Amino acid sequence: MTRPAAVLFVIAVLGAAAAAADIPLAERKSGYEFMARETRAMQDDDSANPATLWVLDAETLWQRKEGSAGKSCADCHGDARTNMRGVAARYPAFNEARGRPIDLEQRVNICRTEQQRATPLAFESKELLALTAYVGQQSRGMPIDIANDAHIRPFLEAGRVMFTERQGQLNLSCAQCHDDNWGQKLAGAAIPQGHPTGYPLYRLEWQTLGSLQRRLRNCLFGMRAVSYPYGASELVDLELYLMWRARGMPVETPAVRP
Amino acid sequence: MTGSKQSPPKFSAERHGSRIAAIALAAAIASWTDRARTEEQLPPYTVVGDAIPQSLTGAKGNVERGRSIVVNRQVGLCLLCHSGPFPEEKFQGTLAPDLKGTGARWSEGQLRLRLVDASQLNPNTIMPPYYRIDGLTRVAPAFQAKPVLSAEQIEDVVAYLATLREE
């Protein structure tokens, strides 16, 4: 490379670094704000929100004795409406025994295997979606509050890299769509800012409730990037980064999306 | 990050960036990208200024096939980001310039380079490199070591875009 070319190149790269920026905290918007009026109305009214069916199931599951320990969630935690308040707003959270953050689905399954002595629930199973939606609902309206301490930081950083690095055959990054081009249309669909405020949520396209990891796998698939199995540490790190990026935003679980 | 030669350290779709500077840059770094290409398995091509003047296949593409690639959401993917003169296509993107008139604005050689690897003109572009397999990270197994479009498909799309002369 000739000298002037090298200088030009450096300027171009620095320019790139300056252009890529996080969304200012005050300008963040939930996916809700990008939805049509009818879809918002579904989320606003629990009796119109299909996710309510899962939540009602979970009220029963919460009381049901499971596993060889013969204990229910309620036996340890009592009334979810008081004792689960604010929990989902703090997840993924650092787990001492595992030495890394775990998400709410993993937390539920640790209770299943270690406290109830039952088999873990499959990711995206009706029961696991119901329980996480129910626990999540107890944090509705509360601000997302992810710890950013020495334990969490390396995982948060790994999630940030995953979000900002180009990947896949299409050579796109999450940030290019969700930080730089939100509000634009991707083949007719509004690109939201990618905040994880409503999961698990009812997606009209899925015609069912789905987890945040399901959404992340959809975006990775669209990018033609390597995907990860449910529960993979890469996906949990990404969930952690997204929750931190949405810190202070209110939990909407269980939300509705197109 | 695993050995990506052409990806800048931070990424953004800097769509309002200076195109003139980008073209000057592209011309200046043509030799640099030539070197990068020696490791690829795709047949080589030559960049002259901001264009690839020669057909990748040596033949002219097919306009009809080119149009169907452009509107196909699993093959060309163009309408994810672009809009264009396709009245029958309801859902089009707003992330990129409208494709109408591209044939009047650009020569076939210029269109070819923009499809093959738009990042040679604008390192921050979000336009995927349609004919590049190196410098990519975590490509899904089904797509590894394959360009998004084949040389024949690139030529079909170039031939079609060249017909879009009406602004």
Side-chain angles (χ1 to χ4, degrees), chain B residues 115-128:
Chain B
L115 284 164
V116 162
D117 186 5
S119 74
Q120 293 189 33
L121 297 164
N122 171 9
N124 305 320
T125 191
I126 57 166
M127 169 126 168

Side-chain angles (χ1 to χ4, degrees), chain A residues 107-185:
Chain A
R107 178 65 256 176
V108 169
N109 270 333
I110 290 174
C111 283
R112 291 261 317 168
T113 53
E114 293 177 10
Q115 305 297 332
Q116 298 179 305
R117 308 247 161 240
T119 50
L121 298 169
F123 285 93
E124 305 308 292
S125 64
K126 199 162 180 268
E127 290 92 343
L128 189 55
L129 288 169
L131 284 168
T132 49
Y134 182 52
V135 172
Q137 192 192 42
Q138 313 312 322
S139 295
R140 254 202 194 163
M142 295 180 72
I144 292 173
D145 183 19
I146 292 295
N148 181 3
D149 56 26
H151 284 317
I152 280 290
R153 217 156 287 137
F155 304 97
L156 200 55
E157 196 43 42
R160 183 206 301 277
V161 169
M162 181 80 166
F163 189 81
T164 50
E165 189 175 287
R166 287 185 189 241
Q167 51 188 308
Q169 193 197 34
L170 302 184
N171 204 32
L172 292 166
S173 73
C174 316
Q176 286 178 317
C177 283
H178 294 297
D179 278 344
D180 302 340
N181 283 296
W182 60 267
Q184 297 286 350
K185 293 251 162 100

